[in-house]
Amino acid sequence: MEAQHVYIVGSKGCGNYGGYETFLDKLTEYHQGKKNIVYHIAWKGTEAKEFVHNGAHSFQIKVPNIGPAQAIYYDVAALNYCLRHIKENNVPHPIVYILACRIGPFAAHFQREVHKLGGLVYVNPDGHEWMRAKWSAPVRKYWKISEKMMVKHADLLVCDSKNIEKYICEKYKQCKPHTTFIAYGADLTPSKLANDDEKLLAWYDEKGLKARDYYLVVGRFVPENSFEIMIREFMKSKSTHDFSIITTADEKFQAQLEERLHYRSDKRIKFVGTVYDQELLKKIRENAYAYLHGHTVGGTNPSLIEALGSTDLNLLVDVGFNKEVAEDGALYWSPEEGALTRLIDEADALSEDSIRDLGKKAKTRVASEYTWEKISGMYENLFLK
């Protein structure tokens, strides 16, 4: 049987822990050794090079430091590389899979070129990039236009959330988009670290935390992840637990929050930096009293699935993306003033049996729908059909 060649463009550097990077790492890991699919993965970097990652042909695109335009430059350069590689190697019926909707103005051109070579263009539309507050008004306008053009010039849109799929079909029905749903996965194996592991105890000691005595949030420090609401509402709660925030430092945003909330006066609020040791991070999740999730933009969020698989008590902002994933395995809060404060006080009063029951439902949910084994199998079927 002739192997199906799949070219995937849009990921950052190999070894990063972002959503797309983890997806490609797991997809190639689970498909390693398969003879019927050959992967060609584009990575972004500071030098051009080729290497093998999990058995996949990987090529790194050298991207100059040109600010926000880097992402567009990278996608265009990577797609040009794919076209050259397909031509030079006479690759039959290739699939070119583009992650995110960054290059709308070039979408028609690349679809045309791929079609000339007998191939198809698939696009993963990600989740509402144009809604992210970090972008200026002109950039947000570009993302919105780009999204429409990518939808129009894709042979198939692979949505990692049913809510995103619904949005695409309703918003762009005049384009008659062809869509399918394949979720994001998560590593659901328990941490290898014991509760008395020296590394874990040293981290707790350094951060002033105790197992089962902290609320936890893990995520990028951006406005659409609801940090301001979560901190303000936690400060108003009667909770005796700490609130541990694992995120990248952003002194400007933190200064703004301090000016508005004066959170530094509340000793429970603890910014504890980043944790890149995945086993340690898993254990920190497992030992949290509860997990707070405030992501309001995007599809299936990796940190949410990981929290549902690790932490028994999860308090999620009430948006379609989150309810779709967790269903009845979590508690939900509204962004309205006072709502999260009330839920935190209620969560503090829950019995151990109630918390354990929620944890069981959450773990059952993610184990049935969000394992990498299941997701990689769905992608195999998609690429080979």
Side-chain angles (χ1 to χ4, degrees):
M1 181 182 170
E2 204 172 57
Q4 174 64 59
H5 288 254
V6 180
Y7 294 77
I8 307 182
V9 167
S11 173
K12 293 173 190 162
C14 185
N16 286 19
Y17 285 113
Y20 282 143
E21 292 71 44
T22 303
F23 158 64
L24 288 178
D25 194 45
K26 291 297 180 182
L27 183 71
T28 52
E29 177 190 325
Y30 276 86
H31 288 177
Q32 199 167 188
K34 286 190 178 292
K35 304 295 185 195
N36 52 356
I37 302 182
V38 178
Y39 286 108
H40 308 271
I41 311 289
W43 303 98
K44 181 180 168 190
T46 54
E47 60 176 323
K49 63 179 181 179
E50 296 192 33
F51 57 99
V52 175
H53 178 71
N54 287 344
H57 165 225
S58 300
F59 54 98
Q60 187 166 284
I61 302 295
K62 182 179 180 180
V63 179
N65 189 7
I66 50 175
Q70 282 186 45
I72 298 167
Y73 177 99
Y74 157 63
D75 279 3
V76 170
L79 286 166
N80 282 327
Y81 176 99
C82 293
L83 292 174
R84 284 196 306 273
H85 191 273
I86 293 165
K87 287 175 191 170
E88 288 169 6
N89 294 278
N90 295 313
V91 174
H93 51 79
I95 292 171
V96 177
Y97 187 21
I98 305 171
L99 307 177
C101 294
R102 291 181 287 253
I103 56 160
F106 308 94
H109 163 74
F110 282 113
Q111 186 187 42
R112 203 162 44 243
E113 293 302 309
V114 172
H115 283 183
K116 281 182 194 172
L117 297 169
L120 294 170
V121 174
Y122 293 0
V123 170
N124 185 306
D126 201 8
H128 303 332
E129 189 67 31
W130 54 269
M131 287 176 65
R132 297 189 189 276
K134 68 176 180 177
W135 301 119
S136 64
V139 173
R140 289 169 79 172
K141 188 175 181 181
Y142 170 83
W143 287 133
K144 202 165 186 180
I145 295 167
S146 184
E147 180 181 88
K148 182 177 182 179
M149 297 171 87
M150 295 287 284
V151 169
K152 186 178 179 181
H153 297 290
D155 297 303
L156 179 68
L157 292 133
V158 185
C159 306
D160 68 18
S161 155
K162 288 176 183 171
N163 274 263
I164 287 287
E165 185 176 26
K166 183 183 175 188
Y167 157 79
I168 293 287
C169 291
E170 290 177 357
K171 177 80 174 172
Y172 303 112
K173 60 185 172 188
Q174 74 276 17
C175 300
K176 297 179 181 172
H178 182 201
T179 66
T180 191
F181 163 68
I182 302 180
Y184 187 87
D187 178 7
L188 304 174
T189 55
S191 172
K192 297 184 179 77
L193 300 185
N195 283 324
D196 60 354
D197 188 278
E198 285 183 16
K199 190 194 308 182
L200 176 69
L201 296 178
W203 189 86
Y204 280 148
D205 188 51
E206 181 190 341
K207 307 303 180 186
L209 297 169
K210 294 177 189 169
R212 314 299 296 179
D213 194 24
Y214 55 90
Y215 281 72
L216 177 68
V217 62
V218 180
R220 286 186 300 165
F221 199 46
V222 291
E224 60 267 20
N225 289 354
S226 309
F227 281 95
E228 182 169 354
I229 295 172
M230 291 190 290
I231 293 169
R232 184 184 68 228
E233 297 288 309
F234 194 94
M235 288 175 70
K236 291 192 295 184
S237 78
K238 299 183 183 75
S239 183
T240 57
H241 301 299
D242 288 317
F243 183 21
S244 175
I245 301 166
I246 294 180
T247 189
T248 47
D250 185 328
E251 291 179 11
K252 185 181 175 185
F253 189 21
Q254 279 181 254
Q256 289 171 353
L257 289 184
E258 173 60 21
E259 193 176 318
R260 291 198 286 267
L261 305 177
H262 307 293
Y263 72 84
R264 289 193 174 102
S265 64
D266 190 329
K267 300 302 180 191
R268 297 173 299 171
I269 311 297
K270 295 178 176 175
F271 282 88
V272 296
T274 50
V275 178
Y276 290 112
D277 182 324
Q278 295 303 292
E279 291 301 320
L280 177 59
L281 183 57
K282 269 192 210 175
K283 197 65 183 176
I284 293 165
R285 287 186 197 274
E286 289 169 10
N287 283 351
Y289 176 77
Y291 187 83
L292 278 171
H293 187 75
H295 291 52
T296 58
V297 174
T300 306
N301 185 266
S303 65
L304 171 57
I305 305 173
E306 284 155 7
L308 293 169
S310 303
T311 313
D312 286 339
L313 181 53
N314 289 275
L315 279 53
L316 319 180
V317 65
D318 191 352
V319 295
F321 307 116
N322 298 336
K323 290 195 99 162
E324 171 193 324
V325 175
E327 293 187 342
D328 63 350
L331 303 178
Y332 296 91
W333 50 273
S334 146
E336 292 168 13
E337 191 169 346
L340 179 54
T341 300
R342 288 191 296 274
L343 187 59
I344 289 168
D345 288 337
E346 289 168 18
D348 274 10
L350 285 175
S351 68
E352 284 188 21
D353 284 346
S354 297
I355 293 172
R356 200 176 299 116
D357 185 50
L358 278 167
K360 198 177 293 181
K361 286 177 181 174
K363 289 174 178 63
T364 300
R365 172 74 181 144
V366 295
S368 66
E369 299 298 327
Y370 296 99
T371 64
W372 281 120
E373 187 175 17
K374 176 170 182 170
I375 304 309
S376 63
M378 292 175 77
Y379 268 103
E380 182 178 3
N381 292 337
L382 176 73
F383 292 145
L384 296 179
K385 76 179 182 184

